[in-house]
Amino acid sequence: KYSPKNTPVELAIRQIPNTIEIEVSDHGVGVAMEDLEHIFDKFYRSPNIRHISGLGGGLSISKGIVEVHGGKIFARNRPDGGLSIFIHLPCQIKAEKI
């Protein structure tokens, strides 16, 4: 929805000490620096994407789910364009290579 048509959404999952990190990245326009701190607020819509349909609830709901599980969620603009959402969830299990 926020990326050009036919561009991939990338998913990466990594284990870091006591944490599982999930990264979801797109190749869209990213988010203005002044909006990054607000994108997880209920019903917040960045001015540069108001032409795209939505209510501004998705990231707020995601934040609530992640925090109920003891995790953290945050976003960063990608250097080559687009946005990455990072989810850190606590994990005490050692992952095995497949």
Side-chain angles (χ1 to χ4, degrees), residues 37-74:
E37 64 185 88
H38 300 290
I39 64 171
F40 296 100
D41 296 348
K42 287 182 184 179
F43 307 116
Y44 183 78
R45 302 269 298 150
S46 179
N48 67 335
I49 54 119
R50 293 221 171 115
H51 64 283
I52 300 171
S53 66
L55 299 175
L59 289 176
S60 175
I61 292 167
S62 298
K63 180 181 178 187
I65 293 168
V66 168
E67 288 178 349
V68 162
H69 288 88
K72 295 180 181 181
I73 186 170
F74 57 96

Side-chain angles (χ1 to χ4, degrees), residues 1-97:
K1 170 168 157 172
Y2 298 104
S3 296
K5 194 173 186 171
N6 297 320
T7 58
V9 173
E10 300 167 10
L11 177 66
I13 301 171
R14 295 178 278 279
Q15 183 178 14
I16 53 181
N18 301 317
T19 303
I20 295 295
E21 179 183 76
I22 302 166
E23 178 183 357
V24 182
S25 303
D26 70 19
H27 295 273
V29 297
V31 175
M33 292 303 291
E34 60 270 14
D35 293 327
L36 270 177
E37 64 185 88
H38 300 290
I39 64 171
F40 296 100
D41 296 348
K42 287 182 184 179
F43 307 116
Y44 183 78
R45 302 269 298 150
S46 179
N48 67 335
I49 54 119
R50 293 221 171 115
H51 64 283
I52 300 171
S53 66
L55 299 175
L59 289 176
S60 175
I61 292 167
S62 298
K63 180 181 178 187
I65 293 168
V66 168
E67 288 178 349
V68 162
H69 288 88
K72 295 180 181 181
I73 186 170
F74 57 96
R76 287 189 192 138
N77 282 308
R78 295 167 47 115
D80 57 344
L83 185 74
S84 291
I85 302 289
F86 295 87
I87 299 168
H88 286 182
L89 296 170
C91 177
Q92 299 300 318
I93 300 170
K94 182 176 180 180
E96 295 184 29
K97 291 185 179 180

